[in-house]
């Protein structure tokens, strides 16, 4: 989470795409991410709570607040979010909520769903 925040502060679009779930990377509108991050003056990040996300976990959630300004003279605003992450091959990936996850590998019906929901694939995205 902290590395993605830093990438937003630096407008490092390549990193933001690379740390997004591989099944969502093609769907990301890189230009929209750039426009959002390039004009934003990020002030600070506060991690409020984490759920799972340890070395032995396959999923995790990070609740955070990020303070920002849209210009030097604009008032400070707060972005509050609960972000979901999934671990694949020892790398953590952000999962955009509400965006379809395109399968990049074969998933068995009883395997955990690649979207990171924690449910079996047959009860989640296969429907």
């Amino acid at each position: 989470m902290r590395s993605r925040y830093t990438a937003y502060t630096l407008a490092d679009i390549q990193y933001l795409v690379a740390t997004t779930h591989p099944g969502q990377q093609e769907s990301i509108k890189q230009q929209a991410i750039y426009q959002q991050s390039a004009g934003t003056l990020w002030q600070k990040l506060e991690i409020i709570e984490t759920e799972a996300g340890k070395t032995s976990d396959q999923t995790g959630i990070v609740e955070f607040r990020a303070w920002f300004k849209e210009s030097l003279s604009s008032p400070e605003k707060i972005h509050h979010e609960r972000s979901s992450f999934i671990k694949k091959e020892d790398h953590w990936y952000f999962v955009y909520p509400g965006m379809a996850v395109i399968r990049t590998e074969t998933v068995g019906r009883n395997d955990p769903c690649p979207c990171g929901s924690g449910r079996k694939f047959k009860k989640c995205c296969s429907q």
Side-chain angles (χ1 to χ4, degrees), residues 3-120:
S3 68
R4 283 183 58 86
Y5 171 80
T6 300
Y8 270 104
T9 68
L10 300 172
D12 186 350
I13 307 311
Q14 287 182 318
Y15 184 82
L16 292 169
V17 172
T19 57
T20 296
H21 190 287
Q24 293 181 323
Q25 290 178 4
E26 291 298 318
S27 301
I28 296 172
K29 294 185 174 28
Q30 293 182 28
Q31 186 62 32
I33 293 173
Y34 178 77
Q35 289 173 345
Q36 179 185 21
S37 63
T40 304
L41 303 169
W42 296 98
Q43 307 297 302
K44 71 177 180 174
L45 173 69
E46 174 191 20
I47 304 296
I48 300 168
E49 180 182 23
T50 60
E51 294 177 23
K54 306 292 184 214
T55 304
S56 62
D57 295 323
Q58 296 300 305
T59 61
I61 296 174
V62 178
E63 182 177 1
F64 69 94
R65 287 188 194 109
W67 283 259
F68 67 96
K69 289 183 169 190
E70 294 173 339
S71 71
L72 286 174
S73 60
S74 69
E76 193 171 70
K77 296 181 180 181
I78 299 174
H79 175 76
H80 183 194
E81 182 177 315
R82 284 180 55 88
S83 295
S84 295
F85 292 83
I86 187 168
K87 188 193 298 185
K88 294 174 61 72
E89 300 172 6
D90 290 329
H91 296 285
W92 285 100
Y93 295 98
F94 172 72
V95 179
Y96 277 96
M99 181 185 290
V101 174
I102 299 167
R103 286 189 286 171
T104 58
E105 71 282 333
T106 303
V107 179
R109 290 177 38 77
N110 289 315
D111 290 340
C113 190
C115 75
S117 68
R119 298 184 296 182
K120 288 184 178 181

